[in-house]
Amino acid sequence: MLAESRELLDEVMGMVSIHGRSVMVAIYDEPADHLSLWFVSLPNPALENVPAEPPGQTMGRFITQGTPDGARTFRVRYWAYSAIIFEIPYYVRSDRGHRTSYNSRPGT
């Protein structure tokens, strides 16, 4: 599935929901000319049920929080259960530094 960073998280996850299985979401940030790939699991009652993400949050803002512990448990307001998201590394440019969220901690 393809999404833009300015799209609302709730709307993108609504599209994820209709697939009925785990999904790879490609997020394109046009101003930065950056593509990132994210695995999103199905909501699962076995996961810790975390609070829903705030309404009105964009995909760009959501993914800038990263996944500092390798994966992140999250929930959107209309899901009864939480799901897991993590970034899928696909390409590292050699002409500029790149830091993936799964192997770095914000602020370090």
Side-chain angles (χ1 to χ4, degrees):
M1 194 177 115
L2 180 61
E4 292 185 9
S5 61
R6 68 176 184 261
E7 291 184 69
L8 294 178
L9 174 66
D10 285 342
E11 292 176 3
V12 172
M13 291 307 143
M15 292 297 292
V16 165
S17 296
I18 65 171
H19 289 88
R21 60 181 157 238
S22 299
V23 173
M24 182 180 73
V25 178
I27 302 170
Y28 182 62
D29 182 1
E30 187 173 0
D33 190 29
H34 178 73
L35 179 72
S36 59
L37 305 175
W38 297 82
F39 171 87
V40 181
S41 75
L42 286 173
N44 188 326
L47 296 171
E48 174 189 2
N49 205 13
V50 298
E53 294 292 322
Q57 183 170 206
T58 64
M59 283 303 297
R61 183 168 176 87
F62 178 71
I63 65 171
T64 58
Q65 297 171 20
T67 53
D69 294 322
R72 184 165 131 209
T73 304
F74 76 102
R75 187 171 66 84
V76 291
R77 62 188 164 128
Y78 48 84
W79 286 353
Y81 306 110
S82 298
I84 292 177
I85 188 169
F86 61 85
E87 188 174 6
I88 302 169
Y90 70 100
Y91 173 73
V92 177
R93 291 178 62 153
S94 61
D95 63 336
R96 66 178 178 187
H98 180 76
R99 197 176 88 180
T100 54
S101 60
Y102 61 86
N103 65 3
S104 59
R105 298 195 183 270
T108 61

